[in-house]
């Protein structure tokens, strides 16, 4: 089954404690991306990757890091999480570029206290 | 500056009637538009898309209309069903900088409630 898998689904952490949210896709997609969803703000792009070792900033990259060492994986790293990073995070992938259908993961609900 | 705007946070429609969800954009570089549907506790799922070279695309009960001169697109759902109740996101993509550099910009979403 074609899917994008994020882990964990829910996470509560404390300010400053480094964390990683994993994302994996099984569709051999080149393009992957991370979004955060906040009330009243919709979905905002954090980072995207057009292929292995090729990443770029989205609209709200501050406080986040990503890496793309393999085609299937695109982890999101919060080196020093802060309460304003409390949000619902989605990973997405698409075959080539984002003007083709994107498949989204089920989301990761992160709370930073 | 919000480049993709969905000005109606919510919409209620009777079952069987038409639902019309609207979206406006400001960036003339956008050349592809998509609609995604999102249920609670799930990720968004692709619904329908349209290229800027077209003005209409239809897929079953769903039709998207694009008015480039007005920088406006709309999603029509006919007939509306209770299972269509969800948040609908309008999204746009286009080349922002450099060859092959595409980003997807989303609106804030419209919550559609279809009343049985």
């Amino acid at each position: 089954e074609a899917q994008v898998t994020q882990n964990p689904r829910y996470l509560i952490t404390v300010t400053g404690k480094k964390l990683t949210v994993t994302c994996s896709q099984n569709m051999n997609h080149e393009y992957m991306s991370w979004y955060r969803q906040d009330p009243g703000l919709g979905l905002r792009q954090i980072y995207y990757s057009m292929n292995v070792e090729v990443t770029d900033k989205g609209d709200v990259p501050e406080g986040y890091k990503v890496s793309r060492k393999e085609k299937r994986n695109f982890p999101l790293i919060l080196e020093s999480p802060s309460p304003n990073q409390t949000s619902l995070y989605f990973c997405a992938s698409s075959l080539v570029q984002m003007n083709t259908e994107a498949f989204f993961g089920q989301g990761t609900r992160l709370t930073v206290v | 500056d919000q480049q993709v705007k969905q000005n109606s946070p919510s919409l209620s429609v009777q079952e069987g009637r038409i639902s019309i969800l609207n979206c406006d954009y400001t960036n003339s570089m956008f050349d592809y538009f998509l609609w995604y549907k999102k249920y609670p506790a799930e990720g968004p799922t692709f619904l329908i898309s349209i290229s800027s070279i077209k003005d209409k695309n239809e897929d079953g009960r769903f039709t998207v209309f694009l008015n480039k001169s007005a920088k406006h697109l709309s999603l029509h759902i006919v007939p509306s069903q209770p299972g269509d109740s969800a948040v609908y996101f309008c999204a746009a993509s286009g080349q922002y900088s450099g060859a092959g550099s595409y980003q997807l910009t989303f609106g804030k979403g419209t919550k559609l409630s279809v009343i049985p």
Side-chain angles (χ1 to χ4, degrees):
Chain A
E1 180 190 352
Q3 59 185 4
V4 177
T5 304
Q6 294 178 228
N7 280 298
R9 291 289 311 277
Y10 302 92
L11 179 61
I12 301 175
T13 190
V14 296
T15 299
K17 185 177 181 182
K18 181 179 178 180
L19 66 91
T20 299
V21 184
T22 63
C23 174
S24 181
Q25 50 95 2
N26 62 0
M27 295 166 279
N28 201 36
H29 284 171
E30 292 183 359
Y31 198 106
M32 297 185 74
S33 187
W34 276 101
Y35 296 87
R36 59 178 289 175
Q37 183 186 8
D38 301 291
L41 296 176
L43 287 159
R44 294 179 293 167
Q45 191 176 50
I46 302 171
Y47 267 95
Y48 64 96
S49 169
M50 290 181 286
N51 214 323
V52 175
E53 302 292 1
V54 182
T55 63
D56 206 350
K57 297 177 181 178
D59 297 319
V60 288
E62 293 78 21
Y64 304 94
K65 284 177 57 177
V66 293
S67 69
R68 188 90 182 273
K69 293 183 170 55
E70 313 166 87
K71 200 171 189 178
R72 64 182 290 126
N73 296 322
F74 190 44
L76 179 69
I77 304 155
L78 285 73
E79 294 270 2
S80 182
S82 62
N84 65 12
Q85 292 178 296
T86 293
S87 187
L88 179 58
Y89 291 86
F90 290 101
C91 179
S93 75
S94 64
L95 184 59
V96 181
Q97 295 167 339
M98 291 307 281
N99 59 343
T100 56
E101 176 185 351
F103 292 81
F104 281 79
Q106 288 195 294
T108 296
R109 172 76 65 183
L110 173 66
T111 303
V112 184
V113 298
Chain B
D1 180 32
Q2 195 181 357
Q3 299 187 72
V4 177
K5 300 178 184 179
Q6 294 178 258
N7 292 321
S8 298
S10 62
L11 174 68
S12 290
V13 172
Q14 286 290 134
E15 180 179 4
R17 308 293 284 266
I18 184 172
S19 295
I20 300 176
L21 295 96
N22 294 303
C23 178
D24 296 293
Y25 62 96
T26 58
N27 192 334
S28 58
M29 295 292 286
F30 289 142
D31 57 9
Y32 206 82
F33 304 90
L34 308 94
W35 285 93
Y36 284 83
K37 180 167 74 172
K38 185 183 180 301
Y39 293 117
E42 295 183 12
T45 55
F46 171 77
L47 190 58
I48 192 169
S49 63
I50 188 167
S51 165
S52 60
I53 63 173
K54 296 186 175 182
D55 55 19
K56 177 183 174 181
N57 188 27
E58 193 172 350
D59 183 2
R61 297 186 298 113
F62 302 92
T63 303
V64 57
F65 295 92
L66 176 62
N67 182 334
K68 281 186 65 179
S69 61
K71 292 191 174 70
H72 176 83
L73 64 154
S74 60
L75 174 68
H76 293 212
I77 306 173
V78 183
S80 302
Q81 299 173 354
D84 296 328
S85 297
V87 176
Y88 289 78
F89 289 100
C90 172
S93 73
Q95 192 165 358
Y96 280 63
S97 59
S101 174
Y102 276 79
Q103 290 182 256
L104 194 60
T105 302
F106 283 84
K108 294 182 179 181
T110 297
K111 183 176 182 179
L112 173 65
S113 299
V114 180
I115 304 162

